[in-house]
Amino acid sequence: MSTGQKVGLLTGSALKAEFARARDAEKKAMEQLGRESQGEGAETVYRDSSGRKMDPKMKRAEEARKRQDEIEREAKRMEWGKGLVQRQEAEEKRRLLEDQKNRPMARYADDEDLNEELKERERWNDPAAGFLTKKTTKDKGKRLVKPTYKGPWKPNRFGIPPGYRWDGVDRSTGYEDKFLLAQNQSKVRAEEAHAMSTEDM
């Protein structure tokens, strides 16, 4: 055979000797190859999905840079996402904290700032709040005017105007139109009937 083993009818002892000889020959061949040629102690080669070699350190550095860019982008988006009111509130809060730094720790009953702050605070369960005359600040002195829809709309039986956010598209089932048409037709029929009945007089 190509492996060098004997063929044909063999006795048990001859078969054992043949196996031992084949095993020794294989061990010698493996020792001749050596450990390095088998890859022992070699550095691991990392490859990407397309099969190109890649450096894991560079890959980790690239991922860290991408994460940092994403965090910066998110922070910038959050900054731009804030409105004017939120910025003003944050500035007011910062200014208030600066004022608090310079004040003493203990505040007594004769502290004018504390008294003014407590007077201006609105409490939901204050029964005398309606009777007291308060100084109206600039923000609280304005009366809230609700916006209204400006433009034409179809009449309805209750005369209710549309909300100010209405885009002008009629999404009804047509019931209101049929209802108003039936009302108008009945009025016209009643007027015609009255005109016909009084025609001869």
Side-chain angles (χ1 to χ4, degrees):
M1 290 181 79
S2 64
T3 58
Q5 292 180 346
K6 293 180 182 177
V7 292
L9 192 60
L10 299 173
T11 61
S13 60
L15 197 58
K16 278 183 184 177
E18 189 63 32
F19 280 138
R21 189 190 64 74
R23 198 170 35 241
D24 290 342
E26 190 176 342
K27 274 185 184 178
K28 283 178 185 175
M30 291 301 283
E31 285 173 3
Q32 284 175 357
L33 282 175
R35 292 181 173 182
E36 287 180 7
S37 62
Q38 292 181 7
E40 188 173 320
E43 194 172 317
T44 306
V45 176
Y46 293 96
R47 297 181 184 274
D48 61 4
S49 58
S50 64
R52 291 188 307 245
K53 289 183 180 180
M54 55 178 262
D55 187 11
K57 291 177 185 173
M58 292 290 287
K59 179 76 172 169
R60 282 195 294 271
E62 181 70 22
E63 286 175 359
R65 190 180 61 75
K66 282 183 182 176
R67 274 197 304 271
Q68 186 64 27
D69 288 348
E70 184 66 30
I71 289 168
E72 287 174 7
R73 248 194 322 269
E74 186 68 20
K76 196 177 284 185
R77 189 182 67 78
M78 290 300 289
E79 178 63 30
W80 280 100
K82 286 184 180 178
L84 258 171
V85 176
Q86 286 85 355
R87 286 188 185 149
Q88 287 173 353
E89 285 176 356
E91 187 62 37
E92 180 70 24
K93 194 173 184 181
R94 208 174 296 120
R95 191 185 59 75
L96 187 65
L97 286 173
E98 283 295 322
D99 290 347
Q100 293 292 334
K101 276 186 197 176
N102 301 329
R103 291 185 182 166
M105 188 64 128
R107 297 177 82 183
Y108 299 104
D110 62 346
D111 187 0
E112 291 178 10
D113 293 335
L114 176 64
N115 289 335
E116 284 299 318
E117 185 181 325
L118 291 175
K119 280 181 191 176
E120 287 178 5
R121 190 179 299 166
E122 291 184 15
R123 294 169 185 81
W124 67 272
N125 60 350
D126 188 3
F131 306 115
L132 297 174
T133 56
K134 293 182 179 178
K135 295 176 187 175
T136 56
T137 60
K138 289 181 183 177
D139 296 339
K140 294 177 185 174
K142 293 181 183 175
R143 188 164 173 241
L144 180 68
V145 178
K146 292 185 180 178
T148 57
Y149 177 73
K150 292 171 179 49
W153 68 85
K154 283 188 178 179
N156 54 42
R157 58 188 149 154
F158 303 114
I160 301 171
Y164 73 96
R165 289 191 177 110
W166 185 50
D167 59 355
V169 179
D170 184 19
R171 294 181 179 85
S172 67
T173 58
Y175 177 77
E176 286 288 326
D177 297 337
K178 291 176 189 173
F179 181 81
L180 292 173
L181 185 66
Q183 261 189 345
N184 289 341
Q185 284 177 349
S186 64
K187 281 182 188 176
V188 169
R189 270 195 235 110
E191 286 174 5
E192 286 176 358
H194 178 68
M196 289 183 81
S197 65
T198 58
E199 189 176 288
D200 294 335
M201 292 185 187

